[in-house]
Amino acid sequence: MSIQSCDPRPRVGITAVASLLPEDALSSDDLQREVSRRSGLALPARLLTQATGIVSRRVAGPGVYASTLAAGAARRVLDSAGLSPLDVDLLVFASASRDLVEPATAHIVQAELGSRAHAVDVTNACNSFVNGIDLARSAVLAGRARRALVVTGETPSRAVRMDPADFAEFRSGFAGYTFGDAGAAVLLEEVERGGILDVDSETHSEHWEVGGIPGGGSRHPRGDAYTYFQGDGHELRGVFEKVGTAVIDRTLHRTGMDWDGFAKVLVHQVTVPYLERFAELTGVPAGKLVVTVPELGNVASASIGVQLERVFPGLAAGERVLFVGLGGGISIMTMVWEKA
């Protein structure tokens, strides 16, 4: 079923996508052995692999930063579109990770690229990249930009506590052991047909304390202990299960679409059990999903960008994709995109 619109404004679409994975891979079994060695904890064999379904992840090596992954993905997306950095007039770095508290990492990416665009950061946990796409689209629709480059560089593996003092600390930081690193980038510009057709979101900010990395802000400006991910993964999952399907149901109802109308459904992936639970709760057919979490882990906001690059070449004009972003805070976001 088509999504009808009488809006005279131009359509804005994603015209190119790229991702970048660090070269170094780390298996969950090797990660667990290293945690046990450093902490002295006797952990059940293959605990991380069996509990998360994550077999491996990529990790950024020395000298590889959030900006490095973002700039690398940006170069790839510009090359694929036959463009130079100077062809971009808005650069959005949209990521849960960053190089520094100040200045905005977007400026570091821009300096690496040699572009001269208006440069800003957008941060909203694992929803950052989808939020960045939405904000860039708004800027193009408003006539504030002609072509926007949205990038993410995620290095959450550096927020993993490798030497927990006891089992309580291990449990508190368990979600961190799902993390992997990645970068992604998309170009947004006016298109004659298709494009981003629908956006919706829902926030439940009363749950902001469920999990996160508390260090570096005004509450905890210093202290190594605050630089590790802390939180209750089960509580976070419970919140998403309770509130996360409402915005998806609303999107399907408003657009008049069902799962058959989407070529693919790209959802932020934390663990294999959580992805399976998402499919169970929403009814999305397994064949519509692009499963990356077993090989890459939880790559935060880069998750949807990495998935999109994998399916982008095989999509025909007119095929639609549903993005489902899930982020700490808590926020849920959907975006319906049609390939031009």
Side-chain angles (χ1 to χ4, degrees), residues 189-236:
E189 52 196 326
E190 288 188 20
V191 292
E192 293 185 358
R193 61 180 182 177
I196 296 171
L197 305 178
D198 186 85
V199 180
D200 200 354
S201 63
E202 193 166 307
T203 58
H204 296 266
S205 301
E206 65 272 20
H207 299 292
W208 73 268
E209 293 181 287
V210 171
I213 303 171
S218 61
R219 289 176 180 249
H220 304 288
R222 282 165 288 279
D224 188 62
Y226 296 116
T227 63
Y228 300 111
F229 184 91
Q230 303 172 21
D232 187 328
H234 290 292
E235 184 179 354
L236 188 65

Side-chain angles (χ1 to χ4, degrees), residues 201-326:
S201 63
E202 193 166 307
T203 58
H204 296 266
S205 301
E206 65 272 20
H207 299 292
W208 73 268
E209 293 181 287
V210 171
I213 303 171
S218 61
R219 289 176 180 249
H220 304 288
R222 282 165 288 279
D224 188 62
Y226 296 116
T227 63
Y228 300 111
F229 184 91
Q230 303 172 21
D232 187 328
H234 290 292
E235 184 179 354
L236 188 65
R237 173 174 168 170
V239 173
F240 281 131
E241 288 187 1
K242 182 178 179 181
V243 304
T245 59
V247 65
I248 298 172
D249 293 340
R250 195 164 64 234
T251 298
L252 296 177
H253 177 75
R254 183 177 56 255
T255 60
M257 298 181 66
D258 58 22
W259 295 122
D260 289 339
F262 297 104
K264 293 294 178 181
V265 177
L266 312 184
V267 59
H268 173 59
Q269 298 175 24
V270 179
T271 66
V272 170
Y274 185 83
L275 184 61
E276 292 171 344
R277 182 60 173 158
F278 170 84
E280 178 185 350
L281 289 172
T282 61
V284 59
K288 301 284 184 181
L289 299 172
V290 181
V291 181
T292 58
V293 68
E295 60 173 310
L296 299 180
N298 176 1
V299 292
S301 75
S303 179
I304 287 177
V306 170
Q307 294 172 56
L308 181 60
E309 187 199 33
R310 294 190 174 189
V311 301
F312 191 86
L315 293 171
E319 287 194 307
R320 291 174 178 167
V321 175
L322 176 65
F323 302 170
V324 181
L326 309 169

Side-chain angles (χ1 to χ4, degrees), residues 125-214:
C126 296
N127 248 341
S128 299
F129 194 55
V130 183
N131 281 146
I133 293 171
D134 184 38
L135 291 172
R137 167 181 176 258
S138 299
V140 176
L141 286 174
R144 297 291 306 277
R146 183 174 59 89
R147 182 179 291 114
L149 174 61
V150 182
V151 301
T152 180
E154 292 287 12
T155 55
S157 71
R158 291 184 174 153
V160 177
R161 184 182 286 278
M162 299 296 289
D163 57 350
D166 50 33
F167 281 105
E169 199 165 75
F170 175 76
R171 285 194 300 270
S172 175
F174 188 84
Y177 301 116
T178 69
F179 291 152
D181 302 334
V186 292
L187 281 170
L188 278 86
E189 52 196 326
E190 288 188 20
V191 292
E192 293 185 358
R193 61 180 182 177
I196 296 171
L197 305 178
D198 186 85
V199 180
D200 200 354
S201 63
E202 193 166 307
T203 58
H204 296 266
S205 301
E206 65 272 20
H207 299 292
W208 73 268
E209 293 181 287
V210 171
I213 303 171

Side-chain angles (χ1 to χ4, degrees), residues 66-67 93 95-102 105 121 123 153-155:
S67 63
F93 177 81
S95 179
S97 303
R98 66 193 72 181
D99 280 20
L100 311 165
V101 173
E102 184 186 2
T105 303
D121 278 8
T123 298
E154 292 287 12
T155 55

